[in-house]
């Protein structure tokens, strides 16, 4: 995002250079043939010069980065003679009346053509940067997706599987408790109540035998519950 803001700022400043060159020529015409605004003319000249330097060397205050494109720099070098002529021929306001307007207009036109080329180059470079950033963002998104898939297969899935196994264990234990365990406990209580009121010794011995069998079965149920808990995941 920071690079995009810098590119946008640089393109805007380069575009304003064309407007400044035309504004300077217009101001000179006014000075020669009408009312002259010297302050406006000087301000436009200073802005043209300073922005031209900033577009090449960078400017921390305005946020324009230093130019690192050799092809664009070559066009700035070709542009320099036109800027030099415009600024040097107008430097002394006392001599504005003798300025060759045909030559000034010609240099201004050359400046516009070369500046148009530079602005176009800045725009293409910016589009290339945007495409590069999009590719990087896509690669990061793919990398993040791979990490997510890795986590699902190697961390989340095993955890879910372990939870499912644990849940199955709990279901088995619950089944043993609610069905077998409670059933045997109910039988034991019933045998115990009957044993208390039974008078016949043979019947009592038989009840005790049934009671012991229930206890044995209850022990089996208890062992099954322990086995369910100890079953490996």
């Amino acid at each position: 995002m920071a690079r995009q803001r810098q590119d946008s700022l640089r393109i805007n400043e380069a575009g304003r250079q064309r407007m400044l060159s035309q504004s300077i020529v217009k101001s000179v015409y006014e000075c020669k043939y009408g009312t002259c605004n010297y302050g406006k003319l000087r301000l436009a000249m200073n802005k043209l010069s300073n922005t031209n330097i900033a577009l090449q060397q960078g400017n921390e205050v305005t946020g324009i980065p230093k130019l690192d494109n050799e092809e664009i720099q070559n066009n700035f070098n070709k542009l320099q003679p036109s800027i030099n002529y415009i600024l040097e021929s107008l430097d002394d306001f006392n001599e504005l009346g003798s300025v060759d307007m045909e030559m000034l207009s010609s240099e201004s036109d050359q400046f516009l053509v070369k500046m148009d080329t530079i602005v176009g180059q800045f725009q293409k470079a910016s589009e290339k940067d945007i495409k590069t950033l999009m590719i990087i963002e896509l690669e990061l998104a793919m990398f993040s997706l791979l990490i997510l898939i890795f986590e699902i297969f190697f961390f989340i899935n095993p955890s879910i599987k372990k939870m499912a196994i644990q849940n199955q264990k709990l279901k088995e234990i619950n089944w043993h408790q609610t069905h077998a365990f409670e059933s045997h406990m109910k039988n034991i209580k019933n045998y115990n109540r009957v044993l208390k009121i039974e008078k016949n010794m043979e019947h009592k011995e038989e009840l005790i035998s049934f009671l012991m069998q229930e206890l044995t079965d209850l022990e089996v149920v208890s062992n099954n519950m322990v086995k369910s808990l100890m079953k490996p995941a």
Side-chain angles (χ1 to χ4, degrees):
M1 291 298 293
R3 182 59 182 268
Q4 287 177 304
R5 285 195 296 269
Q6 289 176 343
D7 288 344
S8 178
L9 177 61
R10 184 156 51 186
I11 291 170
N12 288 338
E13 289 297 309
R16 289 195 186 99
Q17 287 291 81
R18 297 173 298 186
M19 178 189 69
L20 284 170
S21 66
Q22 293 174 312
S23 176
I24 289 172
V25 173
K26 179 175 178 292
S27 294
V28 174
Y29 269 108
E30 291 174 352
C31 289
K32 285 178 68 71
Y33 307 112
T35 303
C36 187
N37 188 334
Y38 294 105
K40 178 182 177 182
L41 177 57
R42 179 59 69 185
L43 182 63
M45 291 170 60
N46 289 342
K47 182 66 175 178
L48 184 75
S49 176
N50 293 336
T51 302
N52 180 65
I53 295 172
L55 288 171
Q56 299 176 71
Q57 300 179 7
N59 187 306
E60 293 183 1
V61 176
T62 59
I64 299 176
K66 183 177 180 180
L67 181 62
D68 58 358
N69 186 307
E70 185 176 350
E71 184 179 359
I72 298 177
Q73 183 61 61
N74 288 335
N75 281 325
F76 267 112
N77 295 338
K78 295 176 182 178
L79 181 74
Q80 195 60 45
S82 295
I83 289 183
N84 290 342
Y85 179 85
I86 293 172
L87 297 177
E88 291 172 4
S89 63
L90 304 177
D91 185 59
D92 188 352
F93 286 173
N94 292 323
E95 300 295 330
L96 290 181
S98 60
V99 171
D100 186 339
M101 293 305 301
E102 185 177 348
M103 187 64 179
L104 180 64
S105 296
S106 175
E107 291 294 339
S108 178
D109 290 341
Q110 292 183 48
F111 175 86
L112 284 174
V113 172
K114 293 171 185 175
M115 204 66 219
D116 278 337
T117 300
I118 291 173
V119 170
Q121 288 177 311
F122 276 139
Q123 290 175 334
K124 288 182 180 179
S126 178
E127 291 171 0
K128 184 178 179 181
D129 288 340
I130 291 173
K131 289 180 180 178
T132 301
L133 287 174
M134 290 176 63
I135 292 173
I136 293 174
E137 289 176 355
L138 180 60
E139 290 175 345
L140 289 174
M142 292 297 294
F143 182 69
S144 298
L145 181 60
L146 288 175
I147 291 176
L148 180 60
I149 293 173
F150 178 84
E151 289 179 346
I152 290 174
F153 276 100
F154 293 97
F155 293 99
I156 298 177
N157 272 0
S159 298
I160 294 175
K161 184 178 179 181
K162 187 174 181 180
M163 290 173 63
I165 293 173
Q166 190 67 25
N167 187 51
Q168 183 61 33
K169 287 181 182 181
L170 293 174
K171 287 181 179 180
E172 291 176 6
I173 293 171
N174 183 62
W175 186 90
H176 287 300
Q177 182 177 359
T178 56
H179 293 80
F181 191 85
E182 289 185 0
S183 176
H184 289 299
M185 285 300 297
K186 181 179 180 181
N187 291 337
I188 290 171
K189 290 178 181 178
N190 290 335
Y191 288 140
N192 186 49
R193 281 196 294 269
V194 175
L195 187 61
K196 288 180 179 179
I197 61 176
E198 180 62 54
K199 303 298 182 181
N200 190 301
M201 288 302 298
E202 290 183 3
H203 290 171
K204 279 191 173 186
E205 289 178 359
E206 187 177 6
L207 285 170
I208 290 173
S209 175
F210 290 156
L211 185 61
M212 293 304 295
Q213 183 60 47
E214 289 293 336
L215 288 172
T216 300
D217 292 342
L218 186 62
E219 185 179 5
V220 172
V221 172
S222 178
N223 290 335
N224 288 336
M225 292 172 65
V226 173
K227 288 179 181 178
S228 295
L229 280 174
M230 299 301 294
K231 188 183 296 181

